[in-house]
């Protein structure tokens, strides 16, 4: 297994997923949200726009990367530090920047909503996401918490237990969708419904990639479980549950096949500098693109009178902001926050040692 290859191929896939989500928001969703019927007649409907399902690819990649991250961590605190420093400083900056844009151009600002958004789980406190894209971060956060909890109790991530829990909740999701059972938002988010099968798939793809110690029988069992997870996706689509439909199921099936190629290191052709670049800034781009991008497009339409000129200019604008965020916020804050949190833990341990010696 080649770690450099893994990072390059997954960064490329992140770049593709991020660009797909941005284009979905800037085309089909923009046309409906701001009432442009002439554009709606050109673009696919939101549910059939393939860019929309870049989110599903993000969830799969998260399952893969977090599984590797937790295995490389010596303890839960180190995992917490790596995730917190990676996610929250950049997220807080994006919430602040988006709020400034919304306040200046739309005249809307609510301090309480702003503060609740900083938790990454505003819906749990009765507030809406400042940016519509942020809904996925709640699922990411609870997945990290679930993984950290398992690691805390078992000192590793037990594959069998992960599969049992993941398949169990996935089948529960299918039953809920088939019988139209109401589950509140908080319950669904805590149980990762209806996306747990994607996170579990990412975990299993990591096991396939890191399969040196796996017996052939175990590898085939993993493939069987992945097949079951694809069936879960199609069963949810049959019930038209949440984001699950024919297009999403085609895309998720394709993502599974692509990730199998990742595990076999067969996607080196994706390692194009542009895709790697987009993958590198993908987190900042995802966080900043939607509401700020809408403001860019609408303001430019007012100036130029042309959506077809305004949209690509706005795309370039949000990529530029994402690039600056990555260079001056995401990358440095990740290193600085990680260093200080680890130093805090080191000082705490040393203090405890000194106190023990003095007693």
């Amino acid at each position: 297994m080649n770690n450099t290859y893994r990072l390059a191929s997954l960064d490329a896939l992140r770049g593709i997923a991020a660009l797909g989500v941005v284009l979905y928001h800037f085309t089909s969703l923009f046309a409906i949200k701001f009432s442009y019927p002439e554009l709606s007649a050109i673009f696919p409907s939101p549910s059939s726009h393939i860019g929309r399902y870049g989110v599903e690819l993000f969830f799969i990649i998260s399952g893969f990367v977090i599984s590797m991250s937790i295995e490389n961590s010596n303890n839960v605190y180190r995992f917490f530090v790596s995730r917190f420093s990676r996610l929250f400083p950049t997220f807080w900056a994006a919430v602040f920047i988006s709020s400034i844009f919304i306040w200046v151009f739309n005249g809307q600002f609510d301090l309480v909503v702003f503060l609740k958004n900083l938790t990454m789980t505003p819906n749990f406190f009765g507030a809406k996401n400042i940016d519509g894209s942020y809904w996925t971060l709640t699922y990411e956060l609870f997945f990290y918490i679930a993984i950290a909890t398992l690691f805390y109790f078992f000192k590793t991530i037990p594959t069998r237990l992960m599969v049992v829990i993941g398949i169990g909740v996935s089948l529960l999701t299918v039953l809920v969708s088939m019988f139209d059972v109401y589950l509140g938002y908080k319950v669904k988010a805590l149980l990762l419904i209806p996306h747990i099968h994607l996170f579990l798939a990412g975990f299993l793809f990591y096991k396939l990639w890191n399969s040196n110690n796996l017996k052939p029988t175990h590898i085939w069992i993993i493939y069987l479980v992945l097949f079951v997870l694809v069936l879960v996706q199609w069963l949810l689509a049959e019930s038209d549950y949440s984001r699950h439909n024919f297009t999403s199921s085609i895309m998720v099936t394709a993502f599974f096949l692509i990730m199998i190629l990742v595990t076999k290191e067969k996607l080196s052709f994706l390692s194009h500098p542009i895709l790697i670049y987009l993958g590198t800034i993908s987190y900042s781009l995802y966080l900043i693109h939607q509401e700020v991008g809408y403001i860019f497009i609408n303001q430019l339409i007012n100036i130029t009178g042309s959506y077809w000129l305004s949209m690509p200019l706005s795309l370039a604008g949000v990529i530029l902001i994402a690039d600056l965020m990555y260079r001056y916020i995401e990358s440095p804050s990740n290193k600085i926050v990680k260093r200080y949190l680890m130093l805090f833990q080191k000082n705490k341990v040393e203090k405890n040692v000194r106190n023990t010696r003095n007693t």
Side-chain angles (χ1 to χ4, degrees):
M1 56 186 176
N2 186 319
N3 199 51
T4 302
Y5 162 83
R6 195 283 309 170
L7 291 173
S9 59
L10 290 187
D11 274 343
L13 290 175
R14 277 199 193 99
I16 293 170
L19 184 60
V21 172
V22 173
L23 291 176
Y24 159 66
H25 286 145
F26 281 15
T27 56
S28 296
L29 200 60
F30 176 85
I32 290 178
K33 183 178 177 68
F34 296 100
S35 301
Y36 284 92
E38 67 277 15
L39 295 178
S40 296
I42 297 173
F43 298 130
S45 67
S47 62
S48 60
H49 195 300
I50 62 174
R52 182 190 192 205
Y53 305 107
V55 166
E56 277 72 0
L57 182 54
F58 278 133
F59 286 155
I60 295 171
I61 293 174
S62 288
F64 188 111
V65 173
I66 297 311
S67 301
M68 183 177 69
S69 177
I70 196 74
E71 284 199 359
N72 292 335
S73 300
N74 296 328
N75 52 55
V76 171
Y77 183 78
R78 187 179 294 274
F79 175 72
F80 160 76
V81 168
S82 71
R83 292 299 91 199
F84 181 87
S85 59
R86 168 78 172 85
L87 295 181
F88 273 95
T90 309
F91 173 70
W92 289 335
V95 170
F96 178 78
I97 294 170
S98 297
S99 296
I100 293 295
F101 269 85
I102 294 169
W103 175 52
V104 170
F105 291 98
N106 298 344
Q108 300 172 358
F109 180 76
D110 186 316
L111 180 60
V112 174
V113 172
F114 172 82
L115 293 175
K116 289 179 178 179
N117 267 262
L118 296 180
T119 67
M120 210 177 274
T121 59
N123 299 116
F124 274 66
F125 304 101
K128 292 183 178 180
N129 289 300
I130 284 176
D131 187 295
S133 297
Y134 295 170
W135 71 267
T136 64
L137 301 178
T138 301
Y139 281 87
E140 297 269 2
L141 182 62
F142 286 134
F143 175 65
Y144 300 161
I145 292 172
I147 288 291
T149 301
L150 288 174
F151 187 77
Y152 177 79
F153 286 106
F154 296 96
K155 309 307 178 187
T156 184
I157 305 299
T159 303
R160 291 181 183 178
L161 183 59
M162 276 285 289
V163 169
V164 169
I165 294 174
I167 292 292
V169 177
S170 296
L171 294 178
L172 172 64
T173 306
V174 171
L175 292 175
V176 166
S177 68
M178 289 175 61
F179 296 100
D180 198 23
V181 177
Y182 173 77
L183 289 180
Y185 167 79
K186 294 180 181 179
V187 173
K188 289 194 291 186
L190 287 169
L191 293 177
L192 303 178
I193 292 175
H195 307 295
I196 191 170
H197 63 298
L198 302 175
F199 289 110
L200 175 59
F203 168 80
L204 294 175
F205 286 126
Y206 171 71
K207 288 297 180 181
L208 286 177
W209 178 76
N210 190 29
S211 61
N212 289 348
N213 298 323
L214 289 181
K215 298 178 181 178
T217 303
H218 293 159
I219 293 175
W220 282 109
I221 289 174
I222 289 177
Y223 280 120
L224 177 61
V225 174
L226 288 170
F227 178 73
V228 171
L229 296 179
V230 171
L231 288 181
V232 166
Q233 172 70 33
W234 282 95
L235 288 171
L236 292 173
E238 186 68 21
S239 301
D240 198 25
Y241 188 69
S242 184
R243 296 165 55 89
H244 300 78
N245 53 48
F246 179 79
T247 304
S248 71
S249 298
I250 289 290
M251 295 304 297
V252 167
T253 303
F255 295 153
F256 275 42
L257 295 174
I258 289 170
M259 289 301 295
I260 289 174
L261 294 178
V262 169
T263 67
K264 295 182 179 297
E265 304 187 350
K266 299 295 184 182
L267 290 182
S268 57
F269 67 90
L270 281 181
S271 300
H272 189 282
I274 293 178
L275 294 180
I276 299 297
Y277 167 74
L278 288 174
T280 301
I281 67 167
S282 60
Y283 183 52
S284 291
L285 179 60
Y286 184 82
L287 291 177
I288 206 65
H289 81 275
Q290 188 170 354
E291 292 302 325
V292 172
Y294 287 159
I295 290 170
F296 278 174
I297 296 174
N298 282 318
Q299 292 297 317
L300 287 170
I301 287 176
N302 291 337
I303 295 171
T304 67
S306 170
Y307 163 82
W308 298 106
L309 178 60
S310 302
M311 192 275 277
L313 288 175
S314 300
L315 177 61
V318 294
I319 290 176
L320 175 61
I321 294 176
D323 181 274
L324 294 173
M325 284 180 61
Y326 176 78
R327 291 175 187 272
Y328 299 108
I329 299 175
E330 182 179 346
S331 183
S333 68
N334 187 8
K335 297 173 184 176
I336 293 170
V337 173
K338 186 180 296 183
R339 183 168 65 247
Y340 276 100
L341 287 176
M342 292 307 298
L343 182 62
F344 171 80
Q345 176 70 359
K346 179 182 178 182
N347 291 337
K348 184 178 178 181
V349 170
E350 290 176 350
K351 182 179 179 181
N352 289 338
V353 170
R354 288 194 300 268
N355 291 338
T356 301
R357 288 173 179 173
N358 294 333
T359 57

